[in-house]
Amino acid sequence: MTVTLADVQAAQKILEGAVTPSPMLAAPKLSAMTGADVRVKYENLHVTNAFKERGAVVRLSRLDAEARARGVIAMSAGNHAQAVAYHARRLGIPATIVMPETTPHVKVAATRGFGAEVVLDGETVAESQIRASAIALERGLTFVHPYDDPDVIAGQGTIALEMLAEAPELDVILVPIGGGGLISGVAVAAKALKPSIQIIGVEAALYPSMWNALKGAELPTGGPTLAEGIAVKTAGALTREIAARLVDDIILVSEAELERAVNAYLMQQKAVAEGAGAAGLAALFAAPGRFAGKTVGLILCGGNIDPRILASIMVRELEREQKILAFRMTIADRPGMLGTIATRLGELGANILEVHHQRGFLDVPAKGATLDLTVEIRDGAHADAILTSFTESGLPCRRLDGGAGG
């Protein structure tokens, strides 16, 4: 069993009227940051804000009447769940989705909002699959696999057809990898149309499942990752076979690089990307020299990120860029002291964001207090100037990592 260019082209016809082709735009700001000529495919603009609609539509559309009447079941960390739920409702097919208990609330709520029955079970997608398989047998439901299915793979491959139709000059496409459905479909289509193109996968360093499968490695797999959409411990059997033939390489990216990429999409492109959706850009940040001067296609494959996590990433990136300074000082506990410090910070051009005043620490004199401040600053030199100014005036400071109170 395999997938061919003809399968992908047939899938493209099925998608007509069901899934609108997503835009692909040049990204000059990202190009300036990375040294590559970057083009972004905005798969986060679909109804469910992710690429998974493509594969789901193809699989659901090919069910016979009896299977449609019984219904379908899927396991997913979120995007496949929403895609199956949305298009199953559109096609009049009952849908049940098993999701890991760790799935962000925004994805669970969206899946229920599309009319599916949601069952929360397991810590990972693999554990959810066990429960989904059991329910499928019990109720006679058709299992819609998120990646290891030829119809799903063909549907995801239509992204490459659109990318190369619009930008045949692409040298590289960077593709996030979870179970491998997206990269398998993209590789099948892209390599058939342009054999010289490089297809490079990107995995979270905590979940190197395809890396281990293709390289015969045994890197540890597991842990909390921003890219929960690609947090898959075992690559698919069919996807592994396709990737072994057609994928040129895989890059592993750190959590810090994923955070930076999510933030860059938001700040530079005004586009919301979840961790998995930003993995391709994270790879550019991880290895800029490798892609310098090349025309690189990025697939922003999903934008379903918890707003609280997104807000946290923005603040953390400001800290990394030294636009926010958190520091601690011990002060005399007397009237007017806070006002004096606030005035001094104003004179130094810092904007106060947070203040924590603590008298109860035992390492502080009985007539003293600990003051933690978080301030908005210009850059690292500005931070040094602020700390030096207070120290020289008799108020020694120490920088805090990770915000006030750290």
Side-chain angles (χ1 to χ4, degrees):
M1 182 172 60
T2 189
V3 180
T4 67
L5 175 61
D7 295 324
V8 179
Q9 291 169 331
Q12 190 173 43
K13 290 183 171 58
I14 292 173
L15 295 184
E16 292 177 2
V19 176
T20 303
S22 61
M24 186 168 73
L25 304 173
K29 293 179 181 178
L30 298 182
S31 297
M33 293 175 70
T34 62
D37 179 6
V38 178
R39 318 290 175 84
V40 179
K41 182 71 166 165
Y42 289 94
E43 288 292 294
N44 62 327
L45 297 180
H46 294 300
V47 174
T48 62
N49 303 113
F51 77 100
K52 290 284 191 176
E53 291 189 29
R54 297 171 182 267
V57 167
V58 176
R59 181 72 177 94
L60 293 173
S61 296
R62 286 179 169 161
L63 294 176
D64 60 30
E66 183 180 350
R68 290 188 181 211
R70 286 197 307 266
V72 298
I73 189 167
M75 93 289 189
S76 167
N79 290 335
H80 180 65
Q82 293 176 64
V84 172
Y86 172 69
H87 287 286
R89 183 176 67 178
R90 185 179 63 80
L91 295 168
I93 302 171
T96 302
I97 311 294
V98 183
M99 307 179 79
E101 295 172 2
T102 54
T103 302
H105 174 72
V106 65
K107 294 184 177 181
V108 176
T111 303
R112 287 194 172 119
F114 289 130
E117 174 191 349
V118 174
V119 177
L120 296 176
D121 191 276
E123 290 293 312
T124 66
V125 172
E127 293 176 9
S128 296
Q129 182 174 0
I130 295 172
R131 179 67 182 279
S133 297
I135 295 174
L137 286 173
E138 177 186 333
R139 301 185 191 175
L141 305 179
T142 298
F143 190 83
V144 181
H145 200 282
Y147 50 85
D148 216 22
D149 180 286
D151 287 335
V152 170
I153 291 170
Q156 321 307 27
T158 60
I159 295 173
L161 298 184
E162 293 173 16
M163 292 180 77
L164 286 174
E166 191 161 341
E169 69 275 19
L170 287 176
D171 298 311
V172 182
I173 301 178
L174 288 168
V175 189
I177 300 180
L182 176 58
I183 197 166
S184 294
V186 167
V188 165
K191 288 286 189 178
L193 294 173
K194 186 177 181 179
S196 64
I197 197 169
Q198 283 193 308
I199 304 299
I200 297 180
V202 187
E203 290 187 298
L206 291 173
Y207 287 85
S209 56
M210 191 67 79
W211 171 285
N212 284 343
L214 299 190
K215 296 180 181 287
E218 296 182 357
L219 295 179
T221 303
T225 177
L226 179 62
E228 78 282 340
I230 54 174
V232 177
K233 288 190 174 183
T234 305
L238 177 55
T239 61
R240 185 165 59 244
E241 183 272 325
I242 294 173
R245 288 189 292 109
L246 300 176
V247 172
D248 294 284
D249 199 3
I250 297 174
I251 294 174
L252 303 181
V253 294
S254 68
E255 293 301 300
E257 288 157 346
L258 287 165
E259 287 186 30
R260 184 185 175 197
V262 168
N263 187 70
Y265 268 127
L266 183 62
M267 302 307 295
Q268 304 302 326
Q269 301 304 113
K270 309 307 176 189
V272 175
E274 61 190 88
L281 180 56
L284 275 182
F285 289 149
R290 179 171 181 173
F291 303 103
K294 294 183 178 180
T295 303
V296 178
L298 301 180
I299 302 173
L300 199 176
C301 60
N304 291 307
I305 187 169
D306 188 313
R308 180 183 60 83
I309 298 298
L310 184 58
S312 175
I313 288 170
M314 293 172 67
V315 173
R316 288 162 63 89
E317 285 304 304
L318 287 172
E319 291 174 355
R320 289 191 180 102
E321 296 169 1
Q322 298 197 68
K323 299 296 179 63
I324 289 179
L325 167 67
F327 63 100
R328 174 174 293 169
M329 63 173 66
T330 299
I331 62 173
D333 190 9
R334 63 170 186 260
M337 197 66 189
L338 286 177
T340 298
I341 292 170
T343 299
R344 183 65 184 139
L345 284 169
E347 293 170 350
L348 291 166
N351 182 38
I352 299 173
L353 299 177
E354 287 187 2
V355 177
H356 295 274
H357 194 240
Q358 177 60 258
R359 293 181 175 84
F361 292 161
L362 294 179
D363 61 350
V364 178
K367 292 186 178 181
T370 293
L371 189 64
D372 290 350
L373 294 127
T374 303
V375 297
E376 187 177 16
I377 57 175
R378 294 187 296 272
D379 51 32
H382 193 194
D384 293 339
I386 291 169
L387 298 177
T388 299
S389 176
F390 278 111
T391 299
E392 290 178 347
S393 64
L395 292 169
C397 306
R398 70 178 179 89
R399 190 188 298 258
L400 298 174
D401 292 327

